[in-house]
Amino acid sequence: EDADQSWLPLDRPVTEPTVLTRDQGDRWESALMASISLRDHVYGSLALQETGGAREWSEDDRAIVEAVTDQVAMAIENARLFAETERRAAELEEIAEQLRETDRFRAQFLATMSHELRTPLTAIKGTIETLQDGAAGDPAAREQFLDTVARETERLIRLTNDLLLLTRADAGRLDLRLETTDLGALAALAATQFTGPAQQRQITLTL
């Protein structure tokens, strides 16, 4: 038969092992209760009951109860600290992964930006070389190539402005302005960037 513990104040911590008794009419019940605690943390209570009659709880009984509650409290605290350590480790790993992802984005951005800067510079260089090779003597061709140089120069300026915008975005001060873009015109403009180099190499660009 299970012992009745409803009369024990298990929800109230005690500072040291305490003996409690109860008169059942035909017999006495007694219990030795101690709190499971460590420093300022109280995790619960432990009670040893004697239901067959009154019992004198000895100092050895008290010492055993204290030893058991200390060990249980230490085990609970270690489990709590272990769980906290695992939680913090998971948080640090998440932060580390975010930093690695940021590094990957940064590397990808630098590679893309290097390509974007190299493209107009290549177009300008090719156009100038075409002009130097004799196209400058043709007024119509010269005008077309000079337009290409001007256009690519503007593109470099836009890329520089984009870098400034990204700097503002990184600082949390970016104000976006959305607008409709003609993709066909954008593709045609991109194709004209290589007109000079393409003609120099006798390549026909068709869009």
Side-chain angles (χ1 to χ4, degrees), residues 156-169:
L156 286 173
I157 293 174
R158 288 196 301 272
L159 287 173
T160 303
N161 290 334
D162 288 344
L163 287 174
L164 294 175
L165 285 175
L166 288 172
T167 301
R168 294 175 58 188

Side-chain angles (χ1 to χ4, degrees), residues 144-163:
Q144 178 185 357
F145 291 146
L146 289 176
D147 285 344
T148 299
V149 171
R151 188 167 53 249
E152 294 304 315
T153 301
E154 286 297 324
R155 184 181 179 188
L156 286 173
I157 293 174
R158 288 196 301 272
L159 287 173
T160 303
N161 290 334
D162 288 344
L163 287 174

Side-chain angles (χ1 to χ4, degrees), residues 1-23:
E1 181 181 356
D2 294 335
D4 177 20
Q5 293 186 335
S6 61
W7 63 283
L8 297 175
L10 298 175
D11 58 338
R12 296 201 301 268
V14 293
T15 57
E16 60 183 15
T18 302
V19 174
L20 303 172
T21 59
R22 179 172 71 159
D23 185 0

